[in-house]
């Protein structure tokens, strides 16, 4: 589809298209420390049983047979040699995490033991306080599916299962093009100027979506400069901030036409964020156009950019989050509204300050409520997570 006069795409349709238009990037083998935020390209499988050996779960005595028991030695965690098997009536002192000797029936904790010289007595339960080899996870078992996002906790699990590296999808690289002669990056703006609010919030949003910010450039309100920026090939996704509307200084649509881009989403029927767009360049790179107003840009990020990046990153699509709204919200007759809310228990409270140019409401929110056109105020609505 080429540029022209077309109607805006419905919000749900636009979001689905943004995800379906891409494929996950190729898998790479990555050291554990570098894998956080990436998505598993293959299932996480146990290379080692968990626990890897019969281990003591308490400090105390490993005992064999009925008591009393004669204490014959001590076993500590990390001892290089396996302990000698126990015969009935014998015990060894043992530390948490140490290898339980063969023949041991249980570990008797210190606090439940009575010791006189080399003899110890106490009540035991067979198997108590012994973590048997592989009881949590045997070797070869699939623990987590492909598409799971790697978290610090997942790294700990992977290490305990014997992994030094993980096979993950390469994170998409994102280049950011900021337009607007009126934008200032520091200090107090003079009359006719505004501080750039979109640029500072984008890197965090990109990383949370599974992407890697590659570069940022600022261009004048000029079609040729914008075309030159879009020709950079060192990013899979190009995000253009501003220039998406039809004003005299809005050159993105013309630049895409010059480059021969396919533009399946020319605008989205949502408020705010109506003049957002999604394009595909002839070489397969994606362009997402964000409106110049910061809250409208955030709406566009969640509508088009997050689903696109999630797909490229190989992330499994999360299940929808829904809630009832604890307060009146006016719907739009034709467009989906995205309203900042704060979740409390089973409900979400709408916040004020949701004009396209203001992030005040969104900054205090933890989600945006998706309010369908002509919503009657009953039932649950979908929530888009923030952060």
């Amino acid at each position: 589809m080429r540029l022209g006069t077309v109607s805006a795409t419905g919000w749900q349709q636009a979001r689905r298209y943004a995800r379906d238009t891409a494929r996950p990037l190729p898998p790479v083998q990555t050291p554990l420390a570098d894998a956080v935020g990436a998505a598993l390209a293959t299932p996480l499988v146990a290379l080692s049983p968990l626990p890897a050996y019969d281990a003591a779960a308490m400090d105390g005595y490993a005992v064999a047979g009925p008591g009393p028991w004669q204490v014959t030695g001590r076993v500590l965690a990390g001892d290089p040699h396996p302990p000698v098997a126990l015969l009935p009536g014998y015990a060894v002192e043992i530390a948490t995490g140490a290898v339980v000797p063969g023949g041991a029936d249980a570990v008797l904790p210190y606090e439940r033991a009575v010791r006189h010289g080399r003899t110890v007595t106490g009540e035991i339960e067979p198997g108590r306080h012994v973590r048997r080899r592989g009881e949590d996870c045997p070797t070869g078992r699939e623990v987590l599916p492909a598409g799971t996002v790697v978290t610090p906790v997942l790294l700990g699990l992977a290490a305990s299962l014997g992994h030094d590296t993980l096979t993950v999808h390469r994170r998409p690289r994102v280049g950011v093009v900021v337009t607007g002669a009126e934008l200032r990056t520091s200090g107090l703006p003079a009359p006719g100027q505004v501080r750039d609010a979109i640029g500072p919030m984008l890197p965090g949003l990109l990383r949370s979506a599974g992407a890697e910010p590659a570069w940022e450039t600022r261009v004048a309100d000029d079609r040729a400069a914008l075309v030159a920026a879009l020709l950079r090939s060192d990013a899979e996704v190009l995000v253009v901030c501003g220039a998406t509307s039809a004003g005299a200084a809005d050159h993105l649509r013309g630049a895409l036409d010059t480059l021969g881009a396919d533009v399946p989403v020319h605008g989205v029927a949502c408020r705010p964020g109506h003049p957002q767009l999604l394009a595909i360049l002839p070489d397969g790179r994606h362009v997402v156009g964000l409106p110049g107003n910061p809250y409208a840009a955030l709406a566009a990020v969640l509508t088009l950019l997050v689903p696109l990046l999630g797909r490229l990153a190989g992330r499994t699509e999360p299940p929808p989050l829904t809630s009832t709204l604890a307060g009146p919200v006016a719907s739009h007759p034709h467009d989906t509204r995205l309203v900042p809310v704060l979740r409390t228990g089973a409900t979400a409270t709408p916040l004020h300050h949701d004009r396209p140019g203001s992030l005040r409401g969104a900054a205090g929110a933890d989600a945006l409520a998706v309010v369908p056109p002509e919503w009657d105020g009953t039932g649950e609505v979908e929530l888009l997570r923030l952060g």
Side-chain angles (χ1 to χ4, degrees):
M1 184 184 300
R2 302 300 294 276
L3 287 168
T5 303
V6 294
S7 60
T9 304
W11 184 84
Q12 292 285 2
Q13 181 184 356
R15 198 157 183 260
R16 176 54 55 191
Y17 191 90
R19 186 168 181 87
D20 290 347
T21 192
R23 293 183 178 180
L25 294 176
V28 291
Q29 202 74 14
T30 304
L32 294 185
D34 299 329
V36 172
L40 295 176
T42 59
L44 181 65
V45 174
L47 303 180
S48 169
L50 188 66
Y53 53 86
D54 292 352
M58 297 281 287
D59 294 327
Y61 301 91
V63 299
W69 302 276
Q70 184 177 354
V71 180
T72 60
R74 175 180 295 171
V75 181
L76 300 177
D79 281 349
H81 303 293
V84 176
L86 291 175
L87 296 174
Y90 288 88
V92 291
E93 279 192 82
I94 195 165
T96 300
V99 177
V100 174
D105 296 305
V107 169
L108 175 64
Y110 282 130
E111 55 267 31
R112 297 186 179 180
V114 177
R115 182 168 178 174
H116 297 285
R118 299 182 62 84
T119 300
V120 65
T121 59
E123 297 292 328
I124 64 166
E125 301 174 37
R128 185 70 169 164
H129 303 307
V130 177
R131 298 173 58 227
R132 295 297 179 185
R133 171 184 167 89
E135 69 177 13
D136 291 334
C137 180
T139 301
R141 174 167 292 176
E142 180 179 321
V143 180
L144 291 170
T148 302
V149 177
V150 178
T151 64
V153 177
L154 190 152
L155 290 186
L157 173 63
S160 69
L161 296 175
H163 291 269
D164 297 317
T165 63
L166 290 173
T167 303
V168 298
H169 289 286
R170 184 169 63 79
R171 281 174 279 212
R173 299 165 298 178
V174 179
V176 177
V177 183
V178 181
T179 70
E182 76 281 9
L183 296 180
R184 291 295 175 265
T185 59
S186 63
L188 298 177
Q193 300 175 346
V194 294
R195 281 293 300 270
D196 175 21
I198 301 174
M201 76 174 176
L202 264 182
L205 292 171
L206 296 175
R207 292 188 182 95
S208 67
E212 176 185 335
W215 49 264
E216 178 186 302
T217 187
R218 294 175 181 269
V219 301
D221 294 320
D222 176 81
R223 179 185 294 193
L226 190 50
V227 168
L230 295 177
L231 285 172
R232 290 189 60 166
S233 60
D234 50 353
E236 286 78 31
V237 177
L238 300 169
V239 177
V240 179
C241 306
T244 61
S245 193
D250 295 314
H251 297 293
L252 177 56
R253 296 170 189 268
L256 292 172
D257 195 28
T258 298
L259 293 171
D262 180 33
V263 189
V265 179
H266 292 256
V268 179
C270 72
R271 305 285 172 159
H274 191 276
Q276 59 186 288
L277 63 81
L278 173 66
I280 305 170
L281 296 173
D283 61 5
R285 290 176 299 130
H286 291 78
V287 179
V288 176
L290 308 181
N293 282 316
Y295 183 43
L298 176 62
V301 167
L302 297 179
T303 300
L304 295 178
L305 187 56
V306 168
L308 171 65
L309 295 177
R311 179 64 170 169
L312 289 169
R315 292 184 169 191
T316 299
E317 188 173 10
L321 175 67
T322 61
S323 176
T324 57
L325 298 184
V329 172
S331 63
H332 189 276
H334 308 294
D335 295 344
T336 297
R337 287 196 64 204
L338 300 179
V339 179
V341 296
L342 188 63
R343 289 179 290 164
T344 305
T347 63
T349 302
L351 303 179
H352 301 292
H353 307 289
D354 59 353
R355 292 180 177 178
S358 174
L359 290 170
R360 182 175 174 183
D366 54 15
L368 299 187
V370 180
V371 180
E374 298 185 332
W375 183 58
D376 63 4
T378 63
E380 295 187 333
V381 297
E382 183 178 355
L383 301 183
L384 304 178
R385 299 173 179 85
L386 291 175

